[in-house]
Amino acid sequence: MSTLPPVTGILARFVAETDYSNFSEKARENGKLHILDTLGAALAAVSTPTATIAFDYCKAWGGAPEAAVWGTRNRFPAALAAFANGLLGHALDYDDWDAFVHAGHPTSIVAAAAIALGEAKGSTGTEVLASYILGIEVLTRLAGGGPNLQARGFHSTPVLGSLGAAATCARLLRLAPEKVAAALGIAASAASGIQRQQGTMVKPFHAGNAARSGIEAALLAERGFTADPAILEAPRGFCDTFFGAGAWDADKIIGGLGNPWFLESPGLGFKLHPCSAPQFLAADAALHLKRQHNIDFAQVEKVTVSVPPLRHQRHYHAEVKTGLRGKFAVNYVVALCMLDGRLELETFSDERVNAPDAQDALRRVEVIADATIPEPGPYCPVTVELRSGGRLSYTATVPKGHPDNPLTVDEVTGKFRSNARLAFSAERIERVAHTVLNLETVADARELAQLLAAA
């Protein structure tokens, strides 16, 4: 007989019964900043091909106009709106990330589900924020209880995000613990995502699909749809299936829930660069060399980047022909850091990737698989060889934006403003920022949704 504690039931009661007063002030403030940051990343993505195709797909379904798609005039049923907004939030790979338990990119999923369902149900801002914090806590606790899903080929963002979104939506609907457990059980069978899809439109689809799955799971559970009540801990259940039987720790999932809240400590990271997080150390090292030594790329003979073997396998691409691929290619990221001295949204456009100077710079970057660097790569040496014979090196260790090297509140809000200007006027941007940063004062989530929709 199994001696594992009832993980599903404990998480379900935690979601259903935690009072808003239990959240620390830091968890609340950080939660609002992460929601704001993700909204900015989403608004910057409204005109991307990925988003355009997704919107067209959603329009074909029709349905009740329950919730807004951010930055557009589109309104869809809550689950479809969450799909579109979750996809938007992750489309540019500029949303937040977890650096500690391999939880991926949580907020693009959880915030999309919370805001869409909150709008459809007329929830208060406090309820939206509470559900978001709880969803983040559930998915990061699950992540911390097992090994890195990415090593098994899964994309942890949607696999864990589906359950985080289900917890969020179950809380918004104020479901009883038994129905919260059912929502988690339904979402456990909807959880999916393959790591191999990075560099394609399917990666942001993962986030949208998980947000949709979370809403669907909660709405089905509300209506009495049932699932295995021990789906997380049971043999051949979620944890055994995704983590491996005997490879996960129930105590790490349920021990000391909310003490501290993950959003408080260790916290999620904010992205300084609009590319995948594994490239950040290489980018920071290359930019440091470029700026510290005022390097003209015409003087560069060769750039060498050393990464651990698994990172080399996943993030070195000899040929880079699209902006999406460039976000996941450490050689392209370093090449453009050295060439342009910055990484911007335009850095990862197809036009910039295929420009002759970018392709020439790409050919001058060598990426070495260095087995002496431990996985997943806690440091990244970059060396520049100059045509004059000079040699410059720098090793980055903690990327800017990591919770141990955080962005300031002003830097986060500045990033939001920079991203949101691609969709909104300056006046609208300030209204959105004020509303999100004072979310507890919002009487009805439809107020925020109206601000997020196109005029």
Side-chain angles (χ1 to χ4, degrees), residues 96-439:
D96 61 16
W97 97 103
D98 159 57
F100 296 98
V101 294
H102 310 292
H105 306 272
T107 300
S108 57
I109 296 171
V110 177
I115 294 173
L117 188 60
E119 178 185 1
K121 297 298 180 181
S123 304
T124 67
T126 295
E127 290 169 336
V128 169
L129 181 58
S131 70
Y132 165 79
I133 295 171
L134 286 165
I136 295 296
E137 189 73 7
V138 167
L139 76 86
T140 52
R141 280 309 192 105
L142 285 168
N148 183 1
L149 288 175
Q150 319 249 95
R152 292 168 61 88
F154 295 115
H155 183 200
S156 60
T157 297
V159 172
L160 299 162
S162 295
L163 282 98
T168 288
C169 296
R171 171 56 180 241
L172 272 176
L173 296 173
R174 300 306 309 217
L175 300 185
E178 296 77 16
K179 289 192 173 184
V180 177
L184 292 173
I186 297 164
S189 281
S192 62
I194 298 172
Q195 178 70 13
R196 177 75 185 183
Q197 298 281 14
Q198 67 177 18
T200 74
M201 291 182 180
V202 179
K203 190 170 187 281
F205 164 85
H206 286 167
N209 197 43
R212 172 173 55 190
S213 294
I215 289 184
E216 290 173 344
L219 290 175
L220 285 167
E222 182 185 40
R223 288 161 170 77
F225 210 86
T226 63
D228 188 309
I231 192 60
L232 298 179
E233 70 271 22
R236 296 182 297 139
F238 178 88
C239 291
D240 274 7
T241 299
F242 284 102
F243 295 135
W248 59 279
D249 186 335
D251 290 338
K252 288 183 178 179
I253 297 175
I254 58 175
L257 285 163
N259 185 28
W261 296 96
F262 192 91
L263 282 166
E264 178 179 358
S265 178
L268 296 172
F270 292 99
K271 284 194 171 187
L272 181 64
H273 309 303
C275 59
S276 69
Q279 320 326 321
F280 287 176
L281 287 179
D284 286 355
L287 289 171
H288 173 87
L289 289 170
K290 172 82 171 178
R291 295 164 181 170
Q292 186 77 11
H293 301 281
N294 195 26
I295 298 172
D296 180 348
F297 194 73
Q299 303 169 344
V300 174
E301 179 69 29
K302 179 182 177 183
V303 182
T304 303
V305 185
S306 297
V307 296
L310 188 58
R311 186 149 289 181
H312 185 276
Q313 176 187 332
R314 293 177 178 172
H315 296 287
Y316 167 72
H317 298 281
E319 183 176 86
V320 179
K321 294 295 184 182
T322 68
L324 277 174
R325 175 60 70 200
K327 288 175 178 287
F328 301 90
V330 65
N331 44 328
Y332 178 76
V333 166
V334 169
L336 270 290
C337 286
M338 296 304 304
L339 179 63
D340 294 342
R342 62 189 181 276
L343 293 176
E344 300 175 333
L345 292 173
E346 292 76 11
T347 302
F348 300 99
S349 66
D350 290 352
E351 181 181 16
R352 185 70 189 109
V353 166
N354 290 293
D357 62 340
Q359 289 294 314
D360 172 62
L362 187 63
R363 288 188 286 269
R364 296 195 219 176
V365 178
E366 179 183 11
V367 182
I368 296 173
D370 186 345
T372 68
I373 301 177
E375 300 287 356
Y379 57 90
C380 185
V382 173
T383 298
V384 178
E385 297 177 29
L386 302 175
R387 288 178 171 166
S388 63
R391 185 182 178 92
L392 304 167
S393 296
Y394 184 77
T395 298
T397 53
V398 182
K400 181 68 173 172
H402 186 286
D404 292 337
N405 186 15
L407 298 187
T408 65
V409 172
D410 286 345
E411 286 172 329
V412 174
T413 55
K415 176 189 168 185
F416 166 75
R417 292 185 178 97
S418 178
N419 282 332
R421 66 180 170 77
L422 298 175
F424 287 161
S425 68
E427 187 270 340
R428 175 74 72 92
I429 289 169
E430 295 310 313
R431 289 176 64 196
V432 172
H434 176 81
T435 301
V436 173
L437 295 178
N438 295 276
L439 196 53

